[in-house]
Amino acid sequence: DAGVTQSPTHLIKTRGQHVTLRCSPISGHKSVSWYQQVLGQGPQFIFQYYEKEERGRGNFPDRFSARQFPNYSSELNVNALLLGDSALYLCASSLSPNAQRTEAFFGQGTRLTVV
Amino acid sequence: RKEVEQDPGPFNVPEGATVAFNCTYSNSASQSFFWYRQDCRKEPKLLMSVYSSGNEDGRFTAQLNRASQYISLLIRDSKLSDSATYLCVVLNQGGKLIFGQGTELSVKP
């Protein structure tokens, strides 16, 4: 069975550019969450989507946006990239948005470097 | 103050040692608690959930003290393969997973 897949695995962008990161959840999982992990820190919550609707948003600027498609895959978009956006971006999928009752599985992440 | 705070690392221990990680959380309404393991440059993976009654999984024991808002993880008989970063994670009322900074463990031969 395929786990959570993210693409691309690595990306280098220049300040001011925009980037789109993609995530395919585990088959049957309807909830997708996005996290940003900068070096030396734990992952920070960015967005959660369930059944194509935004269920939660972390403390990130409006440059960050996301969406979920009918097949439950998801995209994270970041506009006007800053050097500080360099991080590992993780996608997690779960059966439902309630992590209390269902384990969240993470993809291998997209490592974004902004130069 | 961070919502979830962990012991600063790194912890360097010999094989066979017992090591304990501590974690505190600030939101008393937090619902669920977990320990995740993250290997270098890899994704986090669930190690175990943490229950008020305490729970054990082989060499790993997790404890939760809701009154003190304190979570712990004990690893007995450390193996080289236990070397990783251990993340304390709390589920808040909004259903978001809140991660601590992580504590790096290095087990040496």
Side-chain angles (χ1 to χ4, degrees):
Chain A
D1 282 345
V4 180
T5 56
Q6 292 186 241
S7 63
T9 55
H10 296 81
L11 201 52
I12 299 175
K13 289 286 192 178
T14 305
R15 274 178 299 177
Q17 287 188 311
H18 70 272
V19 67
T20 298
L21 310 181
R22 295 179 175 83
C23 172
S24 292
I26 292 170
S27 178
H29 284 194
K30 299 181 178 180
S31 179
V32 170
S33 298
W34 286 94
Y35 292 81
Q36 180 197 64
Q37 186 175 24
V38 301
L39 198 62
Q41 299 294 319
Q44 295 245 325
F45 173 80
I46 310 175
F47 286 109
Q48 183 184 64
Y49 277 79
Y50 178 67
E51 292 280 15
K52 303 181 288 296
E53 291 192 3
E54 183 182 302
R55 283 297 195 95
R57 184 186 182 110
N59 189 23
F60 280 81
D62 291 343
R63 299 185 296 109
F64 289 76
S65 63
R67 55 180 175 168
Q68 187 177 33
F69 298 100
N71 66 353
Y72 303 111
S73 67
S74 179
E75 284 183 353
L76 175 70
N77 295 284
V78 188
N79 293 324
L81 285 167
L82 303 173
L83 295 180
D85 295 331
S86 296
L88 179 67
Y89 288 84
L90 294 160
C91 172
S93 86
S94 56
L95 284 167
S96 80
N98 188 342
Q100 187 172 14
R101 297 193 173 88
T102 174
E103 181 179 346
F105 294 86
F106 284 83
Q108 83 283 5
T110 294
R111 192 164 298 278
L112 172 65
T113 302
V114 182
V115 297
Chain B
R1 182 187 172 189
K2 292 183 179 179
E3 283 192 67
V4 179
E5 297 205 58
Q6 296 185 237
D7 275 348
F11 281 49
N12 297 301
V13 302
E15 268 188 295
T18 295
V19 61
F21 301 140
N22 303 314
C23 169
T24 57
Y25 59 96
S26 60
N27 188 342
S28 60
S30 298
Q31 298 178 351
S32 299
F33 310 89
F34 311 93
W35 284 100
Y36 273 72
R37 169 190 170 133
Q38 186 172 27
D39 292 291
C40 187
R41 304 183 76 81
K42 296 286 184 73
E43 73 274 21
K45 293 184 178 178
L46 179 64
L47 179 65
M48 58 198 302
S49 300
V50 188
Y51 304 113
S52 296
S53 54
N55 48 302
E56 188 174 308
D57 182 2
R59 297 181 293 107
F60 299 82
T61 301
Q63 296 273 359
L64 166 66
N65 184 322
R66 283 189 182 269
S68 304
Q69 296 178 204
Y70 172 92
I71 307 162
S72 66
L73 177 68
L74 185 76
I75 305 175
R76 292 182 299 277
D77 189 22
S78 299
K79 311 291 185 190
L80 296 177
S81 57
D82 293 334
S83 297
T85 295
Y86 290 82
L87 296 158
C88 177
V89 186
V90 169
L91 178 71
N92 73 4
Q93 309 100 299
K96 296 187 297 187
L97 293 176
I98 309 298
F99 287 79
Q101 176 183 2
T103 302
E104 184 182 345
L105 172 65
S106 180
V107 181
K108 305 291 188 184

